[in-house]
Amino acid sequence: MFTYDQIFENNKRWLEEKKRTDAEFFEKLSKGQTPKYLFIGCSDSRVTAEDLMGAEPGDVFVHRNIANLVPNNDSNSASVIEYAVNYLHVENIVVCGHYFCGGVKAAMESRDLGVLNPWLRNIRDVYRLHKKELNLIEDDTEKYNRLVELNVQEQCVNIIKMAVIQKSYLKDRIPQVHGWVFDVSIGQLIDLKINFTEILHSIQEIYDLTKDN
Ligand code: CO
Protein backbone atom coordinates (compact mmCIF):
# COMPACT_ATOMS: atom_id res chain seq x y z
CA MET A 1 0.00 0.00 0.00
CA PHE A 2 1.16 3.53 -0.70
CA THR A 3 0.85 6.51 1.60
CA TYR A 4 -1.36 9.51 0.90
CA ASP A 5 1.60 11.68 -0.14
CA GLN A 6 2.95 9.00 -2.45
CA ILE A 7 -0.16 9.37 -4.61
CA PHE A 8 1.00 12.82 -5.70
CA GLU A 9 4.54 11.58 -6.23
CA ASN A 10 3.14 8.73 -8.34
CA ASN A 11 1.08 11.21 -10.32
CA LYS A 12 4.15 13.32 -11.09
CA ARG A 13 6.05 10.28 -12.33
CA TRP A 14 3.06 9.14 -14.38
CA LEU A 15 2.56 12.47 -16.14
CA GLU A 16 6.30 12.76 -16.87
CA GLU A 17 6.24 9.28 -18.40
CA LYS A 18 3.21 10.15 -20.54
CA LYS A 19 4.88 13.35 -21.74
CA ARG A 20 8.09 11.46 -22.54
CA THR A 21 6.23 9.19 -24.97
CA ASP A 22 4.03 11.98 -26.35
CA ALA A 23 4.81 15.61 -25.54
CA GLU A 24 1.30 16.72 -26.51
CA PHE A 25 -0.50 13.91 -24.67
CA PHE A 26 -2.38 16.13 -22.19
CA GLU A 27 -2.95 18.93 -24.67
CA LYS A 28 -4.72 16.41 -26.92
CA LEU A 29 -6.76 15.10 -23.98
CA SER A 30 -7.94 18.60 -23.16
CA LYS A 31 -9.53 18.90 -26.63
CA GLY A 32 -12.27 16.39 -25.77
CA GLN A 33 -13.13 12.72 -25.64
CA THR A 34 -14.33 10.25 -28.26
CA PRO A 35 -14.35 6.90 -26.44
CA LYS A 36 -15.68 3.94 -28.39
CA TYR A 37 -16.50 1.96 -25.26
CA LEU A 38 -18.77 2.38 -22.28
CA PHE A 39 -17.58 0.08 -19.49
CA ILE A 40 -20.04 -0.72 -16.70
CA GLY A 41 -18.23 -2.62 -13.97
CA CYS A 42 -18.14 -3.34 -10.27
CA SER A 43 -16.67 -0.83 -7.80
CA ASP A 44 -14.37 -3.60 -6.55
CA SER A 45 -10.80 -2.26 -6.25
CA ARG A 46 -9.42 -5.33 -8.05
CA VAL A 47 -11.41 -4.74 -11.23
CA THR A 48 -9.89 -1.64 -12.81
CA ALA A 49 -11.48 -0.89 -16.16
CA GLU A 50 -8.59 0.67 -18.08
CA ASP A 51 -5.77 -1.53 -16.73
CA LEU A 52 -7.34 -4.86 -17.57
CA MET A 53 -8.29 -3.66 -21.07
CA GLY A 54 -4.92 -2.07 -21.78
CA ALA A 55 -6.76 1.19 -22.43
CA GLU A 56 -5.41 4.73 -22.30
CA PRO A 57 -7.06 7.92 -20.99
CA GLY A 58 -9.75 8.90 -23.49
CA ASP A 59 -10.46 5.34 -24.62
CA VAL A 60 -13.21 4.24 -22.23
CA PHE A 61 -16.22 5.93 -20.62
CA VAL A 62 -16.59 4.26 -17.23
CA HIS A 63 -19.39 3.65 -14.76
CA ARG A 64 -18.88 1.48 -11.70
CA ASN A 65 -21.17 0.49 -8.87
CA ILE A 66 -21.60 -2.43 -6.48
CA ALA A 67 -22.04 -5.62 -8.54
CA ASN A 68 -22.23 -3.80 -11.93
CA LEU A 69 -25.98 -3.31 -11.88
CA VAL A 70 -28.26 -1.41 -14.25
CA PRO A 71 -31.57 -1.35 -12.36
CA ASN A 72 -34.69 -0.10 -14.08
CA ASN A 73 -35.17 2.97 -11.84
CA ASP A 74 -31.50 3.92 -11.36
CA SER A 75 -31.08 7.40 -12.82
CA ASN A 76 -27.31 7.28 -12.31
CA SER A 77 -26.55 4.39 -14.68
CA ALA A 78 -29.39 5.51 -16.99
CA SER A 79 -27.81 8.98 -17.33
CA VAL A 80 -24.40 7.47 -18.06
CA ILE A 81 -25.88 5.24 -20.77
CA GLU A 82 -27.98 8.03 -22.29
CA TYR A 83 -24.96 10.36 -22.44
CA ALA A 84 -22.64 7.67 -23.79
CA VAL A 85 -25.07 6.69 -26.57
CA ASN A 86 -26.61 10.01 -27.59
CA TYR A 87 -23.65 12.36 -27.12
CA LEU A 88 -20.48 10.26 -27.22
CA HIS A 89 -21.91 7.77 -29.74
CA VAL A 90 -20.07 4.84 -28.18
CA GLU A 91 -20.03 1.76 -30.40
CA ASN A 92 -19.88 -0.79 -27.59
CA ILE A 93 -21.38 -1.06 -24.14
CA VAL A 94 -19.77 -3.61 -21.88
CA VAL A 95 -21.13 -4.97 -18.63
CA CYS A 96 -18.16 -6.48 -16.82
CA GLY A 97 -18.79 -8.65 -13.79
CA HIS A 98 -16.15 -10.55 -11.88
CA TYR A 99 -15.72 -13.79 -9.98
CA PHE A 100 -15.21 -13.31 -6.21
CA CYS A 101 -17.73 -10.42 -6.29
CA GLY A 102 -18.58 -9.42 -2.71
CA GLY A 103 -21.83 -7.80 -3.86
CA VAL A 104 -23.10 -10.99 -5.47
CA LYS A 105 -22.00 -12.99 -2.43
CA ALA A 106 -23.72 -10.61 0.01
CA ALA A 107 -26.94 -10.81 -2.00
CA MET A 108 -27.08 -14.55 -1.40
CA GLU A 109 -26.70 -14.33 2.38
CA SER A 110 -29.69 -14.47 4.74
CA ARG A 111 -28.90 -11.14 6.34
CA ASP A 112 -30.46 -7.70 6.64
CA LEU A 113 -27.91 -5.37 5.04
CA GLY A 114 -29.88 -2.16 5.62
CA VAL A 115 -29.60 0.40 2.87
CA LEU A 116 -27.95 -2.21 0.63
CA ASN A 117 -31.07 -4.42 0.62
CA PRO A 118 -32.93 -2.80 -2.31
CA TRP A 119 -29.72 -2.56 -4.37
CA LEU A 120 -28.75 -6.17 -3.79
CA ARG A 121 -32.31 -7.35 -4.37
CA ASN A 122 -31.61 -6.91 -8.06
CA ILE A 123 -29.22 -9.86 -7.75
CA ARG A 124 -31.78 -11.93 -5.85
CA ASP A 125 -34.17 -11.21 -8.74
CA VAL A 126 -31.55 -12.62 -11.14
CA TYR A 127 -31.35 -15.73 -8.97
CA ARG A 128 -35.15 -16.09 -8.98
CA LEU A 129 -35.25 -15.76 -12.79
CA HIS A 130 -32.65 -18.53 -13.12
CA LYS A 131 -33.52 -20.54 -10.03
CA LYS A 132 -34.04 -23.77 -11.95
CA GLU A 133 -30.55 -23.74 -13.46
CA LEU A 134 -28.80 -22.47 -10.32
CA ASN A 135 -30.46 -24.93 -7.94
CA LEU A 136 -29.14 -27.81 -10.06
CA ILE A 137 -25.55 -26.75 -9.36
CA GLU A 138 -24.35 -28.51 -6.20
CA ASP A 139 -20.90 -26.99 -5.86
CA ASP A 140 -21.18 -23.63 -4.04
CA THR A 141 -18.31 -21.91 -5.88
CA GLU A 142 -19.61 -23.08 -9.24
CA LYS A 143 -23.10 -21.80 -8.35
CA TYR A 144 -21.71 -18.45 -7.21
CA ASN A 145 -19.64 -18.10 -10.41
CA ARG A 146 -22.68 -18.90 -12.53
CA LEU A 147 -24.73 -16.28 -10.69
CA VAL A 148 -22.00 -13.74 -11.45
CA GLU A 149 -22.33 -14.63 -15.16
CA LEU A 150 -26.14 -14.61 -15.14
CA ASN A 151 -26.11 -11.26 -13.36
CA VAL A 152 -23.98 -9.82 -16.19
CA GLN A 153 -26.38 -11.31 -18.74
CA GLU A 154 -29.46 -9.83 -17.03
CA GLN A 155 -27.85 -6.39 -16.76
CA CYS A 156 -27.21 -6.58 -20.54
CA VAL A 157 -30.91 -7.38 -20.96
CA ASN A 158 -31.78 -4.37 -18.78
CA ILE A 159 -29.67 -2.14 -21.02
CA ILE A 160 -31.27 -3.52 -24.18
CA LYS A 161 -34.72 -2.76 -22.72
CA MET A 162 -33.88 0.96 -22.76
CA ALA A 163 -35.42 3.19 -25.45
CA VAL A 164 -32.11 4.98 -26.02
CA ILE A 165 -30.43 1.71 -27.01
CA GLN A 166 -33.26 0.42 -29.19
CA LYS A 167 -33.60 3.72 -31.08
CA SER A 168 -29.89 4.20 -31.60
CA TYR A 169 -29.48 0.64 -32.87
CA LEU A 170 -32.44 0.99 -35.25
CA LYS A 171 -30.97 4.20 -36.67
CA ASP A 172 -27.18 3.64 -36.66
CA ARG A 173 -26.64 -0.05 -35.79
CA ILE A 174 -24.77 1.00 -32.65
CA PRO A 175 -24.16 0.32 -29.82
CA GLN A 176 -23.54 -3.38 -29.47
CA VAL A 177 -23.97 -4.68 -25.93
CA HIS A 178 -21.44 -7.16 -24.54
CA GLY A 179 -21.19 -9.21 -21.35
CA TRP A 180 -17.79 -9.94 -19.82
CA VAL A 181 -16.50 -11.55 -16.65
CA PHE A 182 -13.11 -10.79 -15.14
CA ASP A 183 -11.50 -13.67 -13.27
CA VAL A 184 -9.68 -11.95 -10.42
CA SER A 185 -7.74 -15.13 -9.52
CA ILE A 186 -5.93 -15.39 -12.89
CA GLY A 187 -6.37 -11.90 -14.36
CA GLN A 188 -8.29 -13.13 -17.39
CA LEU A 189 -11.09 -11.33 -19.16
CA ILE A 190 -13.81 -13.67 -20.48
CA ASP A 191 -16.30 -12.72 -23.19
CA LEU A 192 -19.66 -14.35 -22.35
CA LYS A 193 -20.63 -13.93 -26.01
CA ILE A 194 -24.04 -12.46 -25.27
CA ASN A 195 -26.12 -12.64 -28.45
CA PHE A 196 -27.07 -8.97 -28.69
CA THR A 197 -29.35 -9.07 -31.74
CA GLU A 198 -31.16 -12.18 -30.55
CA ILE A 199 -31.83 -10.61 -27.13
CA LEU A 200 -32.89 -7.36 -28.80
CA HIS A 201 -35.45 -9.15 -30.98
CA SER A 202 -36.88 -11.22 -28.13
CA ILE A 203 -36.98 -8.14 -25.86
CA GLN A 204 -38.88 -6.10 -28.43
CA GLU A 205 -41.82 -8.49 -28.36
CA ILE A 206 -42.73 -6.80 -25.08
CA TYR A 207 -40.35 -3.88 -24.52
CA ASP A 208 -40.38 -2.22 -27.95
CA LEU A 209 -39.77 1.50 -27.28
CA THR A 210 -38.65 2.59 -30.73
CA LYS A 211 -41.63 4.72 -31.79
CA ASP A 212 -41.99 8.40 -30.98
CA ASN A 213 -45.32 10.02 -30.10
CO1 CO B 1 -17.94 -6.99 -7.30
Side-chain angles (χ1 to χ4, degrees), residues 42 44 67 98 101-103:
C42 185
D44 193 300
H98 67 105
C101 182

Side-chain angles (χ1 to χ4, degrees), residues 179-204:
W180 295 351
V181 170
F182 180 67
D183 189 341
V184 172
S185 68
I186 54 170
Q188 195 184 358
L189 200 52
I190 300 152
D191 188 347
L192 294 176
K193 308 234 186 268
I194 301 284
N195 192 330
F196 171 68
T197 44
E198 197 180 289
I199 296 173
L200 180 67
H201 290 138
S202 73
I203 283 290
Q204 284 183 326

Side-chain angles (χ1 to χ4, degrees), residues 42-44 46-47 65-68 97-104:
C42 185
S43 297
D44 193 300
R46 299 163 297 178
V47 189
N65 61 39
I66 292 176
N68 41 271
H98 67 105
Y99 299 137
F100 307 93
C101 182
V104 173

